[in-house]
Amino acid sequence: MKDYLHATNNLYTQAALTPDVGLCCTTTPIWKFPGLDIPKKMLEMNYGCGSTISLQDLSNSPKVLYVGVGGGMELLQFAYFSRFPNAIIGVDVVDEMLEACAQNLQEAQKINPWLNTNFVELRKGDALNLPVQDASVDVAAQNCLFNIFKTEELKKALQEMYRVLKPGGRLVMSDPICEQEMNEELRNNDHLRALCLSGSIPLKDYIKALTDVGFGTIEIRARRPYRILDTENYPTSENIFIESVEVCAIKDPMPADGACVFTGKAAIFYGKDDFFDDGKGHTLFKNQPLAICDKTALALANLNRKDIFISESTFHYNGGGCC
Ligand SMILES: C[S@@+](CC[C@H](N)C(=O)[O-])C[C@H]1O[C@@H](n2cnc3c(N)ncnc32)[C@H](O)[C@@H]1O
Protein backbone atom coordinates (compact mmCIF):
# COMPACT_ATOMS: atom_id res chain seq x y z
CA MET A 1 0.00 0.00 0.00
CA LYS A 2 1.25 3.52 -0.81
CA ASP A 3 2.54 5.64 2.10
CA TYR A 4 -0.16 8.30 1.82
CA LEU A 5 -2.90 5.65 1.99
CA HIS A 6 -1.27 4.27 5.15
CA ALA A 7 -1.19 7.78 6.61
CA THR A 8 -4.88 8.17 5.73
CA ASN A 9 -5.83 4.91 7.44
CA ASN A 10 -3.88 5.92 10.56
CA LEU A 11 -5.49 9.36 10.70
CA TYR A 12 -9.01 7.97 10.42
CA THR A 13 -8.28 5.23 12.95
CA GLN A 14 -7.53 8.04 15.44
CA ALA A 15 -10.56 10.06 14.27
CA ALA A 16 -12.74 7.00 14.93
CA LEU A 17 -11.38 6.51 18.45
CA THR A 18 -11.46 10.21 19.42
CA PRO A 19 -13.98 12.39 17.57
CA ASP A 20 -12.29 15.49 16.12
CA VAL A 21 -14.94 18.15 15.63
CA GLY A 22 -12.66 20.46 13.60
CA LEU A 23 -11.32 17.77 11.25
CA CYS A 24 -13.42 18.78 8.29
CA CYS A 25 -15.73 21.77 8.19
CA THR A 26 -18.77 22.58 6.15
CA THR A 27 -21.03 25.57 5.76
CA THR A 28 -23.74 23.25 4.43
CA PRO A 29 -26.56 23.01 6.97
CA ILE A 30 -26.93 19.62 8.63
CA TRP A 31 -30.18 18.34 7.10
CA LYS A 32 -32.65 17.56 9.88
CA PHE A 33 -35.77 16.11 8.34
CA PRO A 34 -39.09 15.75 10.20
CA GLY A 35 -38.75 12.89 12.68
CA LEU A 36 -35.00 12.56 12.15
CA ASP A 37 -32.78 12.98 15.22
CA ILE A 38 -29.01 12.82 14.81
CA PRO A 39 -27.00 11.60 17.85
CA LYS A 40 -24.45 14.08 19.24
CA LYS A 41 -21.50 11.79 18.50
CA MET A 42 -22.50 11.51 14.86
CA LEU A 43 -22.52 15.31 14.62
CA GLU A 44 -19.08 15.45 16.25
CA MET A 45 -17.85 12.92 13.69
CA ASN A 46 -19.16 14.81 10.68
CA TYR A 47 -15.98 14.65 8.62
CA GLY A 48 -17.57 15.77 5.36
CA CYS A 49 -17.12 19.05 3.51
CA GLY A 50 -20.67 19.39 2.16
CA SER A 51 -23.67 17.12 1.78
CA THR A 52 -24.43 14.22 -0.54
CA ILE A 53 -28.10 14.18 0.47
CA SER A 54 -30.35 15.69 -2.22
CA LEU A 55 -34.08 15.08 -2.37
CA GLN A 56 -34.04 14.79 -6.17
CA ASP A 57 -31.97 11.57 -5.94
CA LEU A 58 -33.99 9.91 -3.22
CA SER A 59 -37.49 9.16 -4.46
CA ASN A 60 -38.64 5.52 -4.70
CA SER A 61 -36.40 4.23 -1.88
CA PRO A 62 -33.14 3.87 -3.80
CA LYS A 63 -30.51 1.26 -2.96
CA VAL A 64 -27.51 3.31 -1.82
CA LEU A 65 -23.79 2.65 -1.51
CA TYR A 66 -21.85 5.01 0.78
CA VAL A 67 -18.05 4.80 0.71
CA GLY A 68 -16.02 6.16 3.66
CA VAL A 69 -18.63 5.96 6.40
CA GLY A 70 -17.17 8.30 9.06
CA GLY A 71 -19.53 8.56 12.03
CA GLY A 72 -22.47 7.40 9.91
CA MET A 73 -24.49 10.62 9.77
CA GLU A 74 -25.08 10.50 6.02
CA LEU A 75 -25.88 6.77 6.18
CA LEU A 76 -28.58 7.66 8.70
CA GLN A 77 -29.86 10.44 6.44
CA PHE A 78 -29.96 8.07 3.43
CA ALA A 79 -31.72 5.43 5.57
CA TYR A 80 -34.42 8.03 6.30
CA PHE A 81 -35.38 7.78 2.61
CA SER A 82 -34.81 4.04 2.07
CA ARG A 83 -36.41 2.10 4.89
CA PHE A 84 -35.84 -1.55 4.08
CA PRO A 85 -33.26 -4.15 5.19
CA ASN A 86 -29.79 -3.58 3.66
CA ALA A 87 -31.02 -0.51 1.75
CA ILE A 88 -27.74 1.28 2.47
CA ILE A 89 -24.37 -0.41 2.08
CA GLY A 90 -21.64 1.43 4.01
CA VAL A 91 -18.05 0.58 3.06
CA ASP A 92 -14.93 1.63 4.96
CA VAL A 93 -11.36 0.39 5.07
CA VAL A 94 -10.82 1.30 8.75
CA ASP A 95 -12.13 -1.26 11.28
CA GLU A 96 -12.35 1.31 14.08
CA MET A 97 -14.45 3.63 11.89
CA LEU A 98 -16.84 0.80 11.02
CA GLU A 99 -17.13 0.00 14.74
CA ALA A 100 -17.79 3.65 15.70
CA CYS A 101 -20.32 3.99 12.88
CA ALA A 102 -22.16 0.83 14.01
CA GLN A 103 -22.33 2.13 17.59
CA ASN A 104 -23.59 5.52 16.43
CA LEU A 105 -26.32 3.84 14.38
CA GLN A 106 -27.37 1.88 17.48
CA GLU A 107 -27.67 5.21 19.33
CA ALA A 108 -29.63 6.65 16.42
CA GLN A 109 -32.08 3.74 16.57
CA LYS A 110 -32.85 4.58 20.23
CA ILE A 111 -33.98 8.12 19.34
CA ASN A 112 -35.57 7.49 15.91
CA PRO A 113 -38.58 5.13 16.22
CA TRP A 114 -38.75 4.66 12.42
CA LEU A 115 -35.14 3.41 12.20
CA ASN A 116 -34.02 -0.21 12.21
CA THR A 117 -30.25 -0.62 12.12
CA ASN A 118 -30.77 -3.43 9.62
CA PHE A 119 -31.50 -0.74 7.01
CA VAL A 120 -27.72 -0.22 6.93
CA GLU A 121 -25.25 -2.98 6.09
CA LEU A 122 -21.64 -2.14 6.96
CA ARG A 123 -18.90 -3.84 4.94
CA LYS A 124 -15.15 -3.73 5.39
CA GLY A 125 -13.64 -2.76 2.07
CA ASP A 126 -11.60 -0.36 0.00
CA ALA A 127 -12.85 2.38 -2.31
CA LEU A 128 -10.28 1.08 -4.79
CA ASN A 129 -11.75 -2.42 -4.85
CA LEU A 130 -15.36 -2.23 -3.72
CA PRO A 131 -16.93 -5.37 -2.22
CA VAL A 132 -20.10 -4.65 -4.21
CA GLN A 133 -21.65 -6.33 -7.26
CA ASP A 134 -21.69 -4.72 -10.72
CA ALA A 135 -24.73 -2.56 -11.57
CA SER A 136 -26.38 -3.14 -8.20
CA VAL A 137 -26.99 0.33 -6.67
CA ASP A 138 -29.12 3.34 -7.65
CA VAL A 139 -27.09 5.93 -5.76
CA ALA A 140 -23.41 5.83 -4.84
CA ALA A 141 -22.02 8.48 -2.52
CA GLN A 142 -18.77 9.65 -1.01
CA ASN A 143 -18.03 12.75 1.02
CA CYS A 144 -14.52 14.14 1.47
CA LEU A 145 -12.66 10.94 0.63
CA PHE A 146 -11.81 11.00 -3.08
CA ASN A 147 -9.97 14.35 -2.85
CA ILE A 148 -7.35 12.50 -0.81
CA PHE A 149 -6.55 10.16 -3.69
CA LYS A 150 -3.75 10.83 -6.16
CA THR A 151 -4.50 10.60 -9.91
CA GLU A 152 -4.14 6.83 -10.28
CA GLU A 153 -6.23 6.00 -7.20
CA LEU A 154 -8.86 8.62 -8.04
CA LYS A 155 -9.34 7.03 -11.45
CA LYS A 156 -9.65 3.57 -9.89
CA ALA A 157 -12.12 4.80 -7.23
CA LEU A 158 -14.32 6.47 -9.86
CA GLN A 159 -14.20 3.39 -12.10
CA GLU A 160 -15.36 1.33 -9.13
CA MET A 161 -18.30 3.67 -8.45
CA TYR A 162 -19.22 3.57 -12.16
CA ARG A 163 -19.05 -0.24 -12.15
CA VAL A 164 -21.43 -0.74 -9.22
CA LEU A 165 -24.05 1.81 -10.37
CA LYS A 166 -27.06 0.67 -12.36
CA PRO A 167 -27.54 2.38 -15.75
CA GLY A 168 -28.98 5.81 -15.00
CA GLY A 169 -27.66 5.61 -11.43
CA ARG A 170 -26.17 8.61 -9.67
CA LEU A 171 -22.80 9.20 -8.06
CA VAL A 172 -23.12 12.01 -5.53
CA MET A 173 -19.97 13.49 -4.11
CA SER A 174 -18.73 16.32 -1.98
CA ASP A 175 -15.04 17.26 -2.04
CA PRO A 176 -12.68 20.19 -1.70
CA ILE A 177 -11.35 21.66 -4.95
CA CYS A 178 -8.57 24.19 -5.49
CA GLU A 179 -7.94 26.40 -8.51
CA GLN A 180 -4.50 27.55 -7.33
CA GLU A 181 -1.22 25.79 -7.95
CA MET A 182 -0.05 23.89 -4.86
CA ASN A 183 3.66 23.33 -4.39
CA GLU A 184 5.18 19.84 -4.19
CA GLU A 185 5.83 20.12 -0.46
CA LEU A 186 2.09 20.54 0.14
CA ARG A 187 1.13 17.91 -2.43
CA ASN A 188 3.52 15.36 -0.91
CA ASN A 189 2.59 16.00 2.71
CA ASP A 190 0.73 12.78 3.52
CA HIS A 191 -0.76 14.17 6.73
CA LEU A 192 -2.21 17.31 5.10
CA ARG A 193 -3.48 15.18 2.21
CA ALA A 194 -5.22 12.81 4.63
CA LEU A 195 -6.77 15.87 6.32
CA CYS A 196 -8.35 16.78 2.94
CA LEU A 197 -6.17 19.90 2.69
CA SER A 198 -3.56 19.27 0.02
CA GLY A 199 -5.02 16.79 -2.46
CA SER A 200 -7.72 18.94 -4.04
CA ILE A 201 -7.61 19.65 -7.78
CA PRO A 202 -9.21 22.30 -10.03
CA LEU A 203 -12.90 21.82 -10.82
CA LYS A 204 -12.30 21.21 -14.53
CA ASP A 205 -9.89 18.35 -13.68
CA TYR A 206 -12.41 16.92 -11.20
CA ILE A 207 -15.10 16.98 -13.90
CA LYS A 208 -12.73 15.45 -16.46
CA ALA A 209 -11.92 12.59 -14.08
CA LEU A 210 -15.67 11.84 -13.98
CA THR A 211 -16.29 12.06 -17.72
CA ASP A 212 -13.13 10.02 -18.44
CA VAL A 213 -14.66 7.02 -16.67
CA GLY A 214 -17.87 7.38 -18.69
CA PHE A 215 -20.41 9.50 -16.79
CA GLY A 216 -22.52 11.21 -19.49
CA THR A 217 -24.13 13.91 -17.35
CA ILE A 218 -22.50 15.99 -14.63
CA GLU A 219 -24.31 18.42 -12.33
CA ILE A 220 -22.45 20.96 -10.20
CA ARG A 221 -24.93 21.52 -7.41
CA ALA A 222 -23.02 23.73 -5.00
CA ARG A 223 -19.68 25.50 -4.68
CA ARG A 224 -18.62 27.13 -1.44
CA PRO A 225 -15.58 28.62 0.31
CA TYR A 226 -13.86 25.93 2.42
CA ARG A 227 -10.41 26.76 3.83
CA ILE A 228 -7.35 28.98 3.55
CA LEU A 229 -3.89 27.46 3.71
CA ASP A 230 -2.04 30.48 5.04
CA THR A 231 1.64 31.28 4.88
CA GLU A 232 2.03 31.25 8.68
CA ASN A 233 0.74 27.76 9.27
CA TYR A 234 1.40 25.86 6.06
CA PRO A 235 4.45 25.43 3.81
CA THR A 236 3.34 27.90 1.16
CA SER A 237 4.59 31.34 0.09
CA GLU A 238 1.08 32.55 -0.77
CA ASN A 239 -2.30 31.97 0.80
CA ILE A 240 -4.21 29.19 -0.92
CA PHE A 241 -7.98 29.31 -1.17
CA ILE A 242 -9.79 25.96 -1.12
CA GLU A 243 -13.46 25.58 -2.02
CA SER A 244 -15.82 22.65 -1.65
CA VAL A 245 -18.24 21.34 -4.26
CA GLU A 246 -21.26 19.10 -4.35
CA VAL A 247 -21.42 17.19 -7.62
CA CYS A 248 -23.69 14.56 -9.12
CA ALA A 249 -22.46 12.36 -11.98
CA ILE A 250 -25.14 10.36 -13.77
CA LYS A 251 -24.42 7.04 -15.49
CA ASP A 252 -26.11 8.16 -18.69
CA PRO A 253 -24.80 7.08 -22.08
CA MET A 254 -22.00 9.40 -23.20
CA PRO A 255 -23.31 11.75 -25.95
CA ALA A 256 -21.32 11.60 -29.21
CA ASP A 257 -20.14 15.20 -28.70
CA GLY A 258 -19.09 14.68 -25.07
CA ALA A 259 -20.70 14.81 -21.64
CA CYS A 260 -23.37 17.33 -20.68
CA VAL A 261 -21.90 19.34 -17.81
CA PHE A 262 -24.35 21.60 -15.98
CA THR A 263 -22.58 24.33 -14.05
CA GLY A 264 -25.63 26.54 -13.52
CA LYS A 265 -25.69 28.47 -16.80
CA ALA A 266 -28.99 29.64 -18.28
CA ALA A 267 -29.99 31.14 -21.64
CA ILE A 268 -32.67 33.82 -22.04
CA PHE A 269 -34.15 34.67 -25.45
CA TYR A 270 -35.52 38.22 -25.61
CA GLY A 271 -36.02 38.70 -29.38
CA LYS A 272 -39.10 39.68 -31.44
CA ASP A 273 -40.48 36.15 -31.88
CA ASP A 274 -42.28 34.04 -29.29
CA PHE A 275 -39.44 31.54 -29.21
CA PHE A 276 -36.09 30.62 -30.68
CA ASP A 277 -35.35 27.08 -31.87
CA ASP A 278 -31.72 26.22 -32.59
CA GLY A 279 -32.75 23.15 -34.61
CA LYS A 280 -30.75 20.92 -32.26
CA GLY A 281 -33.41 20.24 -29.70
CA HIS A 282 -33.23 23.49 -27.74
CA THR A 283 -36.24 25.80 -27.71
CA LEU A 284 -35.94 29.07 -25.86
CA PHE A 285 -39.29 30.66 -25.06
CA LYS A 286 -39.26 34.42 -24.92
CA ASN A 287 -38.10 35.78 -21.55
CA GLN A 288 -38.03 32.32 -19.95
CA PRO A 289 -34.63 31.29 -18.61
CA LEU A 290 -33.62 27.80 -19.72
CA ALA A 291 -30.94 25.90 -17.79
CA ILE A 292 -28.29 24.79 -20.29
CA CYS A 293 -25.21 22.64 -20.14
CA ASP A 294 -21.83 24.18 -20.93
CA LYS A 295 -21.78 22.57 -24.42
CA THR A 296 -25.11 24.19 -25.34
CA ALA A 297 -23.98 27.49 -23.80
CA LEU A 298 -20.96 27.49 -26.09
CA ALA A 299 -22.99 26.53 -29.17
CA LEU A 300 -25.54 29.31 -28.51
CA ALA A 301 -22.78 31.84 -27.81
CA ASN A 302 -21.15 30.93 -31.13
CA LEU A 303 -24.34 32.00 -32.94
CA ASN A 304 -23.43 35.57 -31.93
CA ARG A 305 -27.07 36.60 -31.66
CA LYS A 306 -27.94 39.89 -30.01
CA ASP A 307 -31.23 38.52 -28.65
CA ILE A 308 -29.88 35.63 -26.55
CA PHE A 309 -28.30 36.22 -23.16
CA ILE A 310 -26.16 33.49 -21.64
CA SER A 311 -25.44 33.71 -17.93
CA GLU A 312 -22.23 32.84 -16.15
CA SER A 313 -22.04 29.57 -14.20
CA THR A 314 -23.75 29.86 -10.83
CA PHE A 315 -22.44 26.42 -9.73
CA HIS A 316 -25.87 25.85 -8.30
CA TYR A 317 -27.71 23.48 -10.61
CA ASN A 318 -30.73 21.53 -9.38
CA GLY A 319 -32.11 19.93 -12.51
CA GLY A 320 -34.23 20.79 -15.53
CA GLY A 321 -33.15 22.44 -18.72
CA CYS A 322 -31.89 21.66 -22.16
CA CYS A 323 -30.57 18.11 -22.44
C1 LIG B 1 -12.85 12.58 5.65
S1 LIG B 1 -13.61 11.12 6.27
C2 LIG B 1 -15.27 11.36 5.69
C3 LIG B 1 -16.28 10.57 6.47
C4 LIG B 1 -17.73 10.74 6.02
N1 LIG B 1 -17.87 10.55 4.60
C5 LIG B 1 -18.29 12.10 6.42
O1 LIG B 1 -18.70 12.88 5.55
O2 LIG B 1 -18.31 12.39 7.62
C6 LIG B 1 -12.99 9.81 5.22
C7 LIG B 1 -13.58 8.44 5.47
O3 LIG B 1 -13.08 7.53 4.48
C8 LIG B 1 -12.55 6.36 5.10
N2 LIG B 1 -11.51 5.85 4.20
C9 LIG B 1 -10.23 6.26 4.09
N3 LIG B 1 -9.60 5.60 3.10
C10 LIG B 1 -10.51 4.76 2.56
C11 LIG B 1 -10.49 3.83 1.50
N4 LIG B 1 -9.38 3.63 0.78
N5 LIG B 1 -11.61 3.12 1.22
C12 LIG B 1 -12.75 3.31 1.96
N6 LIG B 1 -12.83 4.19 2.97
C13 LIG B 1 -11.73 4.91 3.27
C14 LIG B 1 -12.10 6.83 6.46
O4 LIG B 1 -12.00 5.78 7.39
C15 LIG B 1 -13.20 7.83 6.80
O5 LIG B 1 -14.32 7.16 7.32
Side-chain angles (χ1 to χ4, degrees), residues 24-25 48-50 142-148 173-179 182 193 195-203 206 224 226-227 242-246:
C24 292
C25 284
C49 60
Q142 72 82 23
N143 193 337
C144 228
L145 169 60
F146 285 12
N147 73 94
I148 297 170
M173 314 206 292
S174 174
D175 267 313
I177 56 156
C178 181
E179 300 299 334
M182 277 196 209
R193 184 173 278 273
L195 284 171
C196 302
L197 290 177
S198 67
S200 50
I201 56 177
L203 182 59
Y206 192 83
R224 303 184 178 89
Y226 180 59
R227 290 287 176 90
I242 305 179
E243 298 164 276
S244 68
V245 283
E246 292 169 10

Side-chain angles (χ1 to χ4, degrees), residues 68-263:
V69 297
M73 185 184 81
E74 291 202 315
L75 285 85
L76 172 64
Q77 290 170 324
F78 276 118
Y80 180 86
F81 294 94
S82 296
R83 302 179 183 187
F84 60 92
N86 303 327
I88 319 298
I89 304 170
V91 170
D92 206 291
V93 81
V94 175
D95 288 316
E96 292 79 357
M97 196 61 91
L98 287 166
E99 180 56 33
C101 179
Q103 280 175 14
N104 291 348
L105 287 167
Q106 290 287 350
E107 289 305 308
Q109 184 173 255
K110 291 181 192 159
I111 55 175
N112 290 282
W114 55 268
L115 177 65
N116 188 323
T117 52
N118 77 7
F119 296 168
V120 180
E121 182 197 348
L122 295 176
R123 293 185 190 169
K124 168 89 184 257
D126 195 320
L128 308 180
N129 183 18
L130 289 171
V132 179
Q133 275 188 349
D134 294 359
S136 61
V137 301
D138 301 294
V139 174
Q142 72 82 23
N143 193 337
C144 228
L145 169 60
F146 285 12
N147 73 94
I148 297 170
F149 293 143
K150 296 187 180 178
T151 312
E152 191 184 332
E153 286 74 37
L154 176 61
K155 183 173 178 192
K156 184 70 191 137
L158 291 175
Q159 283 171 336
E160 281 294 90
M161 290 298 221
Y162 189 86
R163 176 181 68 75
V164 303
L165 277 168
K166 295 177 188 172
R170 289 157 178 244
L171 170 61
V172 279
M173 314 206 292
S174 174
D175 267 313
I177 56 156
C178 181
E179 300 299 334
Q180 277 168 267
E181 189 87 9
M182 277 196 209
N183 65 46
E184 287 303 300
E185 193 178 349
L186 278 170
R187 287 283 183 219
N188 294 328
N189 184 316
D190 293 345
H191 183 65
L192 291 179
R193 184 173 278 273
L195 284 171
C196 302
L197 290 177
S198 67
S200 50
I201 56 177
L203 182 59
K204 71 169 177 18
D205 296 349
Y206 192 83
I207 293 171
K208 185 168 183 308
L210 286 162
T211 56
D212 280 354
V213 303
F215 289 100
T217 305
I218 311 292
E219 303 179 352
I220 309 301
R221 292 177 168 175
R223 180 175 183 169
R224 303 184 178 89
Y226 180 59
R227 290 287 176 90
I228 295 289
L229 302 185
D230 66 275
T231 55
E232 290 290 307
N233 292 295
Y234 297 92
T236 171
S237 58
E238 59 169 11
N239 285 356
I240 293 180
F241 175 47
I242 305 179
E243 298 164 276
S244 68
V245 283
E246 292 169 10
V247 174
C248 174
I250 304 177
K251 190 174 174 178
D252 284 337
M254 181 63 73
D257 57 351
C260 294
V261 179
F262 290 89
T263 60

